[in-house]
């Protein structure tokens, strides 16, 4: 058994050069999915921009009883986006390094930061997979499976087998959005609610309330990094890549901080973009 709850959050590595597509998508020889080990038990995946311009980030977290795959990317066809094959291989490799003699089969929970198409397209690849649960995309399914009563006001918990995640309802960008906080690493996984890019706000009142909940959470819990699901900005403040871009050679890092949440709250209150130009707020 791995002790996921002992001591302070376990640090990991974000020393990674994310593949940012190529000048010619047809001639991009990089894998369809880039895999980076943040730590032994935490993997970050990115879909190649040459496969789909959204290039979302996905997260694979291992517990003692099951793994969590958070989001399934922007492409359905395994011939172009072999997500299940990649995840199956990563789980097999992890189990070889962390054998579980006598503890039964190892499960997989497939969940989402929210229900937009570029985060759920690969769900069908996991249909019929043994010991696998795929969470629905609508708010009712999400709230029911995770026990998030009195949505969106009450938090929940997800236990992967000794590895606990806090679940914070996060509507505003999309009605079924959830923010995941991993107590083991301190990572706050914000989906499309905050990342270095264009923050699309569909319901401003709900989104503002989500930001307030996240800020209150950060005041009481250790947060090492805030990780969203896209990079759309350039490294030049206030300059973003146009939607549909498949080659982004001048990307900033993925990781943000709780301080960016405070700047997001300020931007919402003032009706402006981030003053330091690391994200853009699009309302309506």
């Amino acid at each position: 058994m791995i002790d996921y709850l002992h001591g302070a959050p376990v640090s990991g590595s974000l020393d990674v050069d994310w593949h940012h597509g190529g000048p010619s998508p047809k001639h991009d020889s990089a894998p369809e999915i880039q895999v980076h080990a943040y730590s032994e038990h935490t993997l970050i995946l990115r879909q190649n921009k040459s496969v789909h311009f959204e290039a979302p980030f996905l997260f694979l977290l291992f517990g003692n009883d099951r793994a969590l795959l958070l989001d399934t990317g922007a492409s359905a066809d395994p011939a172009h986006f072999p997500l299940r094959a990649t995840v199956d291989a990563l789980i097999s490799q992890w189990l070889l390094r962390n054998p579980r003699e006598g503890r039964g089969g190892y499960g997989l929970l497939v969940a989402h930061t929210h229900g937009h198409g570029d985060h759920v397209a690969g769900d069908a690849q996991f249909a019929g997979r043994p010991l696998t649960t795929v969470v629905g995309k609508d708010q009712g399914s999400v709230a029911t499976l995770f026990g998030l009563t009195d949505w969106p006001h009450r938090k929940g918990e997800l236990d992967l087998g000794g590895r606990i995640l806090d679940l914070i309802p996060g509507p505003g960008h999309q009605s079924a959005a959830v923010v995941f906080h991993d107590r083991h690493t301190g990572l706050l996984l914000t989906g499309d609610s905050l990342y270095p890019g264009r923050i699309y706000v569909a319901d401003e009142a709900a989104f503002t309330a989500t930001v307030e909940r996240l800020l209150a959470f950060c005041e009481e819990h250790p947060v090492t990094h805030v990780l969203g699901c896209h990079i759309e900005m350039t490294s030049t403040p206030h300059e973003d890549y146009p939607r549909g871009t498949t080659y982004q050679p001048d990307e900033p890092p993925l990781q943000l901080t709780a301080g960016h949440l405070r700047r997001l709250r300020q931007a919402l209150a003032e009706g402006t973009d981030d003053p330091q130009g690391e994200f853009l707020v699009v309302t309506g």
Side-chain angles (χ1 to χ4, degrees):
M1 294 280 288
I2 300 165
D3 183 2
Y4 288 105
L5 297 178
H6 180 73
V10 174
S11 62
S13 171
L14 286 167
D15 183 15
V16 53
D17 292 323
W18 295 114
H19 181 66
H20 43 247
S24 172
K26 291 183 178 180
H27 300 95
D28 188 349
S29 60
E32 296 91 344
I33 302 171
Q34 180 181 4
V35 179
H36 170 68
Y38 177 81
S39 67
E40 164 65 14
H41 311 299
T42 306
L43 304 180
I44 306 174
L45 289 64
R46 189 187 195 184
Q47 184 171 358
N48 192 331
K49 289 190 73 70
S50 296
V51 175
H52 197 288
F53 71 88
E54 292 282 8
F57 289 84
L58 296 70
F59 303 91
L60 184 61
L61 281 60
F62 295 93
N64 284 312
D65 298 330
R66 56 180 173 169
L68 168 68
L69 174 63
L70 192 55
D71 287 348
T72 61
S75 301
D77 188 351
H80 300 290
F81 183 54
L83 180 59
R84 176 171 171 179
T86 300
V87 169
D88 284 351
L90 293 171
I91 291 175
S92 295
Q93 294 163 14
W94 186 86
L95 290 171
L96 284 174
R97 298 191 301 269
N98 300 274
R100 307 176 62 258
E101 289 87 350
R103 294 213 296 270
Y106 191 71
L108 174 65
L109 177 65
V110 180
H112 314 98
T113 59
H114 63 292
H116 284 158
D118 55 322
H119 298 265
V120 304
D123 281 11
Q125 294 189 33
F126 296 90
R129 185 184 186 278
L131 300 175
T132 299
T133 298
V134 179
V135 182
K137 298 173 285 188
D138 61 284
Q139 179 215 307
S141 297
V142 171
T144 298
L145 191 140
F146 289 134
L148 296 172
T149 58
D150 192 24
W151 177 278
H153 305 292
R154 296 182 63 179
K155 301 188 298 294
E157 292 183 1
L158 172 62
D159 187 355
L160 301 178
R163 185 174 189 173
I164 309 295
L165 287 87
D166 301 292
L167 309 185
I168 307 160
H173 172 73
Q174 192 265 345
S175 61
V178 177
V179 173
F180 293 73
H181 174 258
D182 176 31
R183 297 181 190 178
H184 173 60
T185 60
L187 295 176
L188 188 69
L189 307 177
T190 51
D192 280 9
S193 294
L194 181 60
Y195 58 92
R198 295 174 294 279
I199 310 302
Y200 291 100
V201 180
D203 183 331
E204 190 166 354
F207 190 79
T208 299
T210 287
V211 173
E212 293 292 351
R213 279 192 297 275
L214 293 177
L215 283 168
F217 182 90
C218 290
E219 289 177 358
E220 298 180 356
H221 301 82
V223 173
T224 52
H225 301 285
V226 174
L227 301 181
C229 285
H230 300 281
I231 299 174
E232 296 172 349
M233 301 301 292
T234 72
S235 60
T236 301
H238 302 283
E239 290 189 8
D240 64 334
Y241 285 101
R243 179 176 171 81
T245 299
T246 58
Y247 179 49
Q248 299 184 171
D250 189 27
E251 289 185 341
L254 172 66
Q255 61 269 26
L256 300 176
T257 68
H260 289 86
L261 283 167
R262 290 189 287 272
R263 283 155 49 184
L264 179 55
R265 177 174 60 183
Q266 177 185 352
L268 289 167
E270 298 177 352
T272 61
D273 288 322
D274 170 41
Q276 297 184 37
E278 294 181 89
F279 57 84
L280 307 174
V281 179
V282 182
T283 58

